[in-house]
Amino acid sequence: MTQRPVLATLGLLAITGLSAAHAENIGEVDTVFKLIGPDHKIVVEAYDDPKVAGVACYVSRAKTGGIKGALGLAEDKSEASIACRQTGPISFAKALPQQEEVFNERISLVFKKLRIVRMVDTQRNALVYLTYSDRVIEGSPQNSVTAVAVDRGTPIPVK
């Protein structure tokens, strides 16, 4: 009997598609006053790259408020901006794939996600990060890109 709540929680996590990487809320600003429920906002969140020590990505995005936003039923806008920076010595525990999704976050009840993909530019010894949103039926072409140059003395290991 005690396994039911645990199984229900695991099922809910699988359905909503929560990623293993968690965002750290850096700050937010209100953009539209809502009489009932939270205001519409722009939030800034930080993600540490789980496979590259010393790199953090900062993502700003719209967050819908109001009653639907408070209940988690609102669909957030597809627009997002990203800036990734070196925050310490860069090191790699193991070789990286040429391209890999490193973070994703649900921005609607079920079908829409904000995604961040890391690409390795071996010619310039840089890590390129792309953010975009997708939906089961139709995604958005709106995107943002940033790059982190890695010192030539630290070659990026690629699989």
Side-chain angles (χ1 to χ4, degrees), residues 81-125:
S81 180
I82 188 169
C84 297
R85 299 292 184 263
Q86 180 176 352
T87 57
I90 294 178
S91 63
F92 308 92
K94 57 183 179 178
L96 302 175
Q98 184 66 40
Q99 179 173 315
E100 174 183 30
E101 181 176 287
V102 290
F103 313 111
N104 69 62
E105 184 173 335
R106 181 179 61 85
I107 56 176
S108 77
L109 184 59
V110 179
F111 300 112
K112 193 173 182 183
K113 286 188 178 183
L114 177 72
R115 299 184 182 276
I116 301 172
V117 175
R118 178 194 338 99
M119 302 170 195
V120 179
D121 180 352
T122 53
Q123 183 176 347
R124 292 163 194 82
N125 209 50

Side-chain angles (χ1 to χ4, degrees), residues 28-43 62-67 69-70:
E28 59 188 41
V29 295
D30 291 347
T31 58
V32 175
F33 171 75
K34 298 303 277 182
L35 188 59
I36 300 175
D39 293 344
H40 294 326
K41 303 175 184 301
I42 295 174
V43 297
K63 190 165 188 174
T64 305
I67 295 171

Side-chain angles (χ1 to χ4, degrees), residues 42-53:
I42 295 174
V43 297
V44 177
E45 299 166 322
Y47 299 84
D48 291 318
D49 189 322
K51 293 187 179 177
V52 182

Side-chain angles (χ1 to χ4, degrees), residues 8-18:
T9 302
L10 290 174
L12 182 61
L13 289 174
I15 289 170
T16 57
L18 295 176

